[in-house]
Amino acid sequence: MEKTLKRPVLLAGVLIALIALPTVADTTGYAALTSLATRVLIYGIAAASLNFVLGYGGMVSFGHAAFFGIGGYVVGILYQHYSLGEPLFGFIPGTNQLLITIPVALVVSGLMAALIGALSLRTGGVQFIMITLAFAQMLFFLFVSLKTYGGDDGLIIRRANELPGLNMRDKQTVYYVCLAITVAFFFILWRIVNSRFGNVIVGLRQSEKRMAAIGLPAYRYKLMAFVISGMGCGLAGALMANFLRYASPDMIHWTKSGELMVMVILGGVGTLFGPLLGAAVFIVLESILASWTENWQLGLGLILLFVVLYTQGGVQGLGSRLLGRRA
């Protein structure tokens, strides 16, 4: 009974702290914390999306940066055609409205995930990892070659997408929009994970043969999970493009997929909020270590090694055990 009461209280406390964060940051003279927290929220969505197939479904994808980058480029391309007054493909009008670009990013990233998943999920293990990586790198070089959209230099978005009644030029407003979307995203993800569909995905991770033996179409369930995961990364990419006002091929590079995987491992594989915690730890460590040395990846690697070997479940698992012992 105590555990069931503790979790909602803890979540409510964290949400209140996140709501108050911009005000506290401005009051204490650390306004940059708001931008840092915005990045954490966005990467938390992307990492949690990857964790859905990695932690719950057992599908180790090394190409989820592709969907992250596609979401960002959807925003950038639509904005460029809006600013130039030229329809995309001659008939699709550009736009700078967030209520349009976000759904379009979800649809496009979902379609790309369906295409990549339909091919890659026919394999497994190392082959699956390499195929998802190969698709992501193909898209990376595709966008590098598109000089119309900036090529290797990326695509500048001069103004963030507009949202009726809100000033999206204000960093605090962007933060609260990202916070609202993050809360909605994790609520939907929680419902999916705890649904029958989520139970099937977990069952497929444990034993695909047993699930197939009771008549469940494993391929279709895994493909649907892959599409949902890709759409989540596309959502994060669209938000990141609005936040940075910039989209580049670096968003699609395999190193970005590696960063998302590190966030999942740091926070806790197969946990709901672990990837969000992992994103926070990763970004904070990156900021601190980068201020000390340009070889900050070495320090991060040592910390990651410690987490994998000794925490048994990442930051969320470690925190749960410490709270349990105190109780």
Side-chain angles (χ1 to χ4, degrees):
M1 184 68 177
E2 289 184 3
K3 288 184 178 180
T4 57
L5 289 174
K6 281 181 181 178
R7 176 166 289 185
V9 171
L10 180 61
L11 291 176
V14 171
L15 183 58
I16 292 170
L18 289 173
I19 292 172
L21 187 143
T23 304
V24 174
D26 282 349
T27 304
T28 55
Y30 292 97
L33 280 177
T34 303
S35 295
L36 192 72
T38 306
R39 290 180 60 209
V40 169
L41 294 175
I42 295 171
Y43 276 120
I45 292 174
S49 300
L50 172 61
N51 182 56
F52 182 60
V53 293
L54 173 63
Y56 291 101
M59 294 171 271
V60 184
S61 169
F62 220 87
H64 262 54
F67 315 124
F68 184 76
I70 285 171
Y73 265 98
V74 165
V75 173
I77 291 172
L78 288 176
Y79 180 83
Q80 176 165 310
H81 284 275
Y82 165 80
S83 60
L84 295 176
E86 300 174 356
L88 177 63
F89 304 128
F91 66 94
I92 301 176
T95 181
N96 68 336
Q97 296 298 313
L98 191 70
L99 294 178
I100 298 176
T101 56
I102 291 293
V104 173
L106 287 170
V107 170
V108 174
S109 57
L111 290 174
M112 185 56 66
L115 176 62
I116 294 175
L119 297 173
S120 60
L121 286 171
R122 297 184 185 277
T123 64
V126 177
Q127 292 86 356
F128 176 78
I129 298 172
M130 296 309 296
I131 290 175
T132 55
L133 174 61
F135 273 114
Q137 287 303 98
M138 286 168 58
L139 288 170
F140 168 77
F141 288 112
L142 171 64
F143 281 104
V144 167
S145 66
L146 294 177
K147 302 303 179 184
T148 306
Y149 301 118
D152 196 27
D153 294 327
L155 192 58
I156 296 174
I157 304 167
R158 298 194 179 279
R159 293 183 181 178
N161 287 167
E162 296 179 357
L163 195 60
L166 296 176
N167 178 19
M168 293 298 287
R169 298 183 187 180
D170 180 40
K171 291 293 184 182
Q172 286 195 13
T173 303
V174 174
Y175 168 80
Y176 283 119
V177 169
C178 290
L179 178 59
I181 292 174
T182 302
V183 171
F185 171 83
F186 274 95
F187 175 75
I188 294 171
L189 185 62
W190 171 73
R191 292 296 301 268
I192 293 173
V193 167
N194 291 281
S195 66
R196 291 182 180 180
F197 174 78
N199 291 333
V200 171
I201 297 302
V202 173
L204 289 171
R205 182 198 68 201
Q206 296 173 349
S207 178
E208 186 173 333
K209 291 182 179 179
R210 289 181 182 178
M211 300 302 286
I214 62 176
L216 291 171
Y219 176 78
R220 279 190 286 174
Y221 274 98
K222 291 171 72 174
L223 179 58
M224 182 58 68
F226 197 83
V227 170
I228 293 171
S229 178
M231 292 174 71
C233 276
L235 170 64
L239 292 175
M240 184 60 76
N242 273 287
F243 172 65
L244 297 177
R245 300 179 189 177
Y246 178 68
S248 76
D250 289 340
M251 297 176 72
I252 309 175
H253 199 257
W254 69 268
T255 53
K256 186 64 68 177
S257 295
E259 288 179 4
L260 296 179
M261 197 167 290
V262 168
M263 292 174 191
V264 173
I265 296 170
L266 280 173
V269 179
T271 59
L272 185 63
F273 295 106
L276 182 60
L277 294 173
V281 172
F282 180 90
I283 291 172
V284 170
L285 285 176
E286 179 186 13
S287 301
I288 294 174
L289 295 176
S291 65
W292 293 347
T293 174
E294 61 182 20
N295 300 314
W296 61 270
Q297 292 93 339
L298 177 62
L300 181 64
L302 294 173
I303 294 171
L304 180 62
L305 187 63
F306 173 81
V307 169
V308 172
L309 292 177
Y310 299 108
T311 60
Q312 298 178 2
V315 175
Q316 179 168 325
L318 179 63
S320 297
R321 284 195 299 277
L322 290 176
L323 290 174
R325 287 175 183 175
R326 287 182 180 180

